[in-house]
Amino acid sequence: MQLQQELLSADPATIVANHAYGLFELATIYLGATPPRLTDASLAIDAFAGILSAVEDRLGEVGEPLQDGLRQLQAAFIQVAKLDHEPTRTSPPPVTEV
């Protein structure tokens, strides 16, 4: 009952923003895992983007920082994905005969 009263008295935009930020944090955890969990990070990033797309104009002043965070997260995903897919070489590439 007390939790319901607290939620009813809170700003809904703040609650939604906090949930969106939770998805941001989740994506960063997946990206930072060893090895990176790109599929899981992608799901969290897409969910984060979906929330922002659906309600950004109603989030007020917290909307823009969340959009900035989304852009940074998407850029980080691209960087991690590139690094994760680069072949690791412990010896020179094989010589091909012509």
Side-chain angles (χ1 to χ4, degrees):
M1 191 65 138
Q2 182 181 353
L3 177 60
Q4 285 181 335
Q5 290 303 316
E6 288 176 22
L7 288 172
L8 286 170
S9 64
D11 175 27
T14 301
I15 294 170
V16 170
N18 285 339
H19 285 287
Y21 184 72
L23 292 169
F24 173 92
E25 288 181 321
L26 184 62
T28 61
I29 290 169
Y30 289 140
L31 288 175
T34 305
R37 293 173 51 178
L38 296 175
T39 300
D40 297 331
S42 178
L43 175 61
I45 292 168
D46 289 347
F48 181 42
I51 289 173
L52 293 184
S53 175
V55 299
E56 180 190 13
D57 61 330
R58 295 183 280 166
L59 290 178
E61 64 185 37
V62 298
E64 187 57 35
L66 287 172
Q67 280 293 346
D68 290 342
L70 176 60
R71 286 187 287 274
Q72 292 171 7
L73 193 56
Q74 290 167 328
F77 180 90
I78 291 168
Q79 289 177 339
V80 170
K82 283 180 183 178
L83 291 174
D84 190 51
H85 288 94
E86 288 180 3
T88 303
R89 297 200 189 271
T90 56
S91 60
V95 176
T96 56
E97 294 184 27
V98 187

